[in-house]
Amino acid sequence: MTRLLRRYGPGAPGPAIVGALFALCVLLLPAPSVARAETPLDLDATGHITDTVGALGRRRPQVEAALARLAGRDVQLYVTYVHDFSGRTGREWADATADRNGLGPHDVLLAVATSPRRFAVSAAQDSGFRADQLRQVATVAIAPALKAHDWAGAAIGAADGYRSVLAGQAVRPPVIVPGSSDPGGSGLLPGDRRFWAPVATGALLCLAGLLLRRQRRRRARRRVTVVPFRTPVAPVTVSASTEPGLARMAQPLTPLPDLETEASLNLVATDDAVRTSAEELSFAVAQLGEAATLPFAEAVGYARSELAAAFRLRQRLDDAPAHDDDFRRHALDEICSRCTSANRRLDAEAAAFDRLRALKANAAVVLARAEDAARALEPRIDTAENALFALRRRCTEDALAPVWRYPAEARDRLAFAGAALEDAHTGLAEGDRDRAAVSVRAAEAALSQVRTLAAAALRHAHELNGSARRLAAALADAEAAAAGRTEGAAFDLLTAVRREAACERTDPRAVLRRIDEAAAAFDDLLPPDDPGRAARSHARTGRALLAARARVSGARDFITTHRGAVGARARTRLAEAERHLALARRDATEATRAETLALQARTAAERDVGVYGVAHSAPDTTRPARALGGALLGGIVLAGLLPATFGGGATRGRLAAPER
């Protein structure tokens, strides 16, 4: 722009400027109507919603929350909004899209065409839904919403309807919130001429303003007195009070290493906020029910989706560290932006959440419920500890190591919860409801981790027992696959595994994995049409999926209960492991990737905890010190020993603040 002005002078805009302004004016001319159609398309890879017409708008988080609730029932609902079905019937279009994207038997696709206001549902015959159930949900929960142009309500109604069917409950009609009759033709989407008209007008005005400003500066320079050569001239600076404008934008970029650190800190803080918010939300649901807490569940669902996108970007950077600096900067900025969005949504709901729970007013009720939970958890810790001790005779130390300290850590968390409950009683007796609320919230968080640690130890014991039971069948499959072979790498591996399985103490999960590796190596040597090969492969796939689920669950439990020390790398690997585990339903090869990532997550998290230091867990440390150290390690209390609460970074330590 400056070069053009210099070329043609201040007196006239010049042909280049006129040409630029003319090009912008062309955007304002009416465009010929174009028939829009959507062929079967690729679904959005980052989520379950593909909205090509902007039908959902601000209600997208509500739909995401409804889909997340259904996912808890092991059914995935995918929703897509298009302008029309390209001349096909809705069923043909939905089935073609489902096939194109490889949807599995537990995946359901709801396709909505906004212009003809039609919809179709694609579900596999072995989806678990009967035809009459699908019709009932379509008639009761989807069609009424679309009749009123409630595009989001149709998806919410479908998700809640399928969830009701799975629970054996009646399907309820959705709450109707009418929307735009033709969102794809509203002119609010990029690409629509009516959208670009005001944009082009604004750009034209900006160009004209810059041109006039340039002309004034040229005229002003002609009137300036010439400064003698030797007179020192102060350098031009832009102060913090500079008026908004182009000079304000000329700020130095954050150095990449600093931006890397900022993104990592944002990921850790946002992950903590989401985990804590989801945890306290579960207490609120138990206290008040799902209907009363629905807006907060939607907020947590939105924050989770933003955080998942941020973790995905971080994983991409880790997978390809050779990206150029511009790409890395853009990705890191996007990570920070996603984290900020997640935190703001949680912060926005914090005050309403406090009013709903009324923890200070209901401290006595919540305290009684927490004491009941504490009494029920104590024998559960004993059960987990006894289960681990019983396995010592048959399992190696390596097999038990991931959870061996969990019962002791659970007792430390329980001791912290007991002290907090006692302090809450004191606060209530003295009429100090603020103190009681702070203490009872800390106790809730500690009890949640007690439950997680005890359940993780028991689950690990069950997994070891299950792996031991599956050893015989896996070994028989490997022997069948060997088919009399007595040499080669696969035979050597099978021989070594036989000896390991015969030992008095083994790691059943590791032995089972190596047996399956040997069997797979033998099967690769057999012809594809071998009668037993497919059955053995199917059995191995099932065992691999179980192993991946166990590994991901173990990493998740460790990071959840040690998050006060765990950094961004471990959390990123866990998020990616969970994503691949979800994909393993349709592609069994994803299970191996999920297990590998979960192992990396656990290893990185244990390294972080080691650096953090666990001196409080030494045998000679007093129980109160161990209890407080465990609460800090678990992220139960924040700096200043305030309990973490529902909310984002700006509100999650608010509970002890005085009321206004």
Side-chain angles (χ1 to χ4, degrees):
M1 185 71 169
T2 303
R3 287 196 298 270
L4 289 173
L5 287 168
R6 285 177 179 169
R7 179 177 177 183
Y8 294 105
I17 301 298
V18 172
L21 298 179
F22 177 78
L24 282 172
C25 292
V26 172
L27 290 172
L28 301 177
L29 296 175
S33 59
V34 180
R36 290 178 294 180
E38 301 286 353
T39 58
L41 46 74
D42 293 324
L43 299 180
D44 189 338
T46 62
H48 289 65
I49 300 173
T50 306
D51 186 0
T52 67
V53 295
L56 296 182
R58 295 182 178 179
R59 297 190 65 194
R60 185 184 183 103
Q62 299 177 20
V63 176
E64 290 173 341
L67 300 184
R69 290 194 298 271
L70 176 62
R73 294 279 185 175
D74 291 333
V75 172
Q76 304 286 335
L77 175 62
Y78 292 81
V79 186
T80 180
Y81 296 89
V82 294
H83 188 264
D84 57 57
F85 289 140
S86 309
R88 304 189 185 195
T89 67
R91 181 61 183 272
E92 289 174 347
W93 191 95
D95 287 344
T97 299
D99 291 340
R100 178 189 181 102
N101 290 272
L103 298 191
H106 297 288
D107 300 323
V108 179
L109 174 66
L110 168 62
V112 178
T114 57
S115 181
R117 203 166 48 182
R118 292 162 50 204
F119 75 95
V121 174
S122 176
Q125 292 184 351
D126 55 347
S127 64
F129 293 107
R130 301 193 307 270
D132 62 306
Q133 292 173 329
L134 294 172
R135 281 194 299 271
Q136 183 184 20
V137 173
T139 304
V140 177
I142 302 176
L146 293 182
K147 185 177 181 181
H149 307 116
D150 184 3
W151 313 111
I156 295 170
D160 291 343
Y162 295 137
R163 196 158 62 98
S164 298
V165 168
L166 293 171
Q169 300 171 354
V171 177
R172 293 178 296 180
V175 178
I176 303 296
V177 181
S180 170
S181 60
D182 186 11
S186 64
L188 298 179
L189 296 175
D192 193 307
R193 292 295 179 94
R194 287 171 292 169
F195 171 83
W196 285 110
V199 176
T201 304
L204 188 150
L205 293 175
C206 287
L207 283 173
L210 288 172
L211 176 60
L212 291 174
R213 184 176 182 180
R214 179 70 178 177
Q215 290 173 339
R216 290 195 190 100
R217 285 183 176 179
R218 291 262 179 155
R219 287 194 294 267
R221 284 174 185 164
R222 292 171 184 169
R223 297 192 296 269
V224 173
T225 303
V226 176
V227 180
F229 177 76
R230 294 178 182 175
T231 302
V233 180
V236 178
T237 60
V238 180
S239 69
S241 59
T242 302
E243 290 298 321
L246 295 178
R248 190 73 178 272
M249 299 172 63
Q251 300 295 329
L253 294 173
T254 303
L256 265 180
D258 294 345
L259 193 56
E260 292 268 5
T261 301
E262 182 183 348
S264 295
L265 292 174
N266 273 325
L267 284 171
V268 170
T270 306
D271 190 42
D272 281 346
V274 171
R275 289 177 187 274
T276 302
S277 298
E279 173 191 273
E280 191 173 5
L281 176 64
S282 67
F283 290 115
V285 170
Q287 177 186 349
L288 303 162
E290 286 189 4
T293 56
L294 181 59
F296 311 108
E298 292 172 351
V300 171
Y302 174 83
R304 273 181 173 150
S305 66
E306 290 290 277
L307 180 61
F311 275 131
R312 184 76 185 108
L313 281 170
R314 179 70 261 181
Q315 184 67 42
R316 284 184 63 192
L317 290 178
D318 292 345
D319 286 342
H323 280 304
D324 61 82
D325 287 355
D326 287 342
F327 179 89
R328 294 188 70 81
R329 183 176 296 281
H330 175 77
L332 293 170
D333 281 337
E334 181 69 12
I335 289 171
C336 293
S337 175
R338 295 276 189 174
C339 290
T340 298
S341 176
N343 278 283
R344 282 178 177 170
R345 181 64 189 276
L346 294 175
D347 286 332
E349 300 291 349
F353 187 84
D354 286 347
R355 289 192 296 270
L356 179 70
R357 279 208 85 184
L359 199 54
K360 295 176 182 179
N362 298 325
V365 176
V366 179
L367 174 59
R369 185 179 290 112
E371 287 180 323
D372 290 341
R375 283 191 290 270
L377 284 171
E378 194 162 0
R380 190 169 178 81
I381 298 173
D382 293 335
T383 302
E385 189 171 49
N386 292 336
L388 294 180
F389 270 104
L391 287 171
R392 291 184 68 183
R393 297 189 300 272
R394 297 184 287 110
C395 296
T396 61
E397 292 182 1
D398 288 344
L400 298 171
V403 299
W404 183 252
R405 284 200 49 79
Y406 279 9
E409 291 186 25
R411 287 198 173 89
D412 290 341
R413 306 286 204 281
L414 189 60
F416 178 85
L421 293 173
E422 190 174 328
D423 191 66
H425 272 295
T426 303
L428 286 176
E430 295 176 356
D432 189 347
R433 292 189 173 273
D434 287 349
R435 177 181 176 182
V438 168
S439 297
V440 78
R441 172 66 197 119
E444 279 185 334
L447 291 172
S448 176
Q449 293 200 7
V450 172
R451 189 176 296 108
T452 298
L453 289 164
L458 274 173
R459 186 176 62 248
H460 190 80
H462 292 326
E463 288 163 2
L464 290 175
N465 283 323
S467 296
R469 288 193 299 270
R470 289 189 288 273
L471 279 177
L475 194 56
D477 281 349
E479 298 283 1
R485 295 179 186 271
T486 58
E487 58 183 15
F491 178 78
D492 293 341
L493 176 59
L494 182 58
T495 302
V497 170
R498 283 197 197 103
R499 287 197 298 267
E500 191 174 357
C503 292
E504 184 178 357
R505 296 178 67 197
T506 63
D507 182 347
R509 297 197 303 179
V511 174
L512 188 60
R513 185 180 302 107
R514 283 192 281 274
I515 290 175
D516 282 340
E517 289 173 1
F522 280 121
D523 274 337
D524 287 343
L525 301 174
L526 296 175
D529 58 349
D530 182 83
R533 181 173 177 174
R536 290 192 295 270
S537 177
H538 181 73
R540 286 197 301 273
T541 299
R543 290 192 290 268
L545 188 56
L546 288 175
R549 286 174 179 165
R551 190 74 73 177
V552 172
S553 296
R556 184 192 305 119
D557 293 336
F558 185 85
I559 290 174
T560 297
T561 55
H562 299 78
R563 60 180 181 262
V566 177
R569 183 177 180 82
R571 298 170 192 249
T572 301
R573 296 298 180 276
L574 174 61
E576 190 69 357
E578 290 174 329
R579 187 179 75 86
H580 280 277
L581 185 61
L583 294 175
R585 286 180 146 184
R586 299 194 298 269
D587 183 357
T589 60
E590 295 286 352
T592 301
R593 178 64 174 153
E595 185 175 8
T596 300
L597 286 162
L599 180 59
Q600 294 173 0
R602 177 66 183 257
T603 301
E606 289 177 345
R607 188 183 305 116
D608 290 339
V609 172
V611 173
Y612 175 85
V614 287
H616 61 269
S617 64
D620 57 346
T621 306
T622 62
R623 171 55 66 84
R626 291 205 312 271
L628 179 58
L632 290 167
L633 179 63
I636 295 168
V637 292
L638 307 174
L641 302 185
L642 299 177
T645 59
F646 183 102
T651 58
R652 59 190 302 256
R654 69 190 178 278
L655 193 55
E659 293 183 333
R660 297 180 181 180

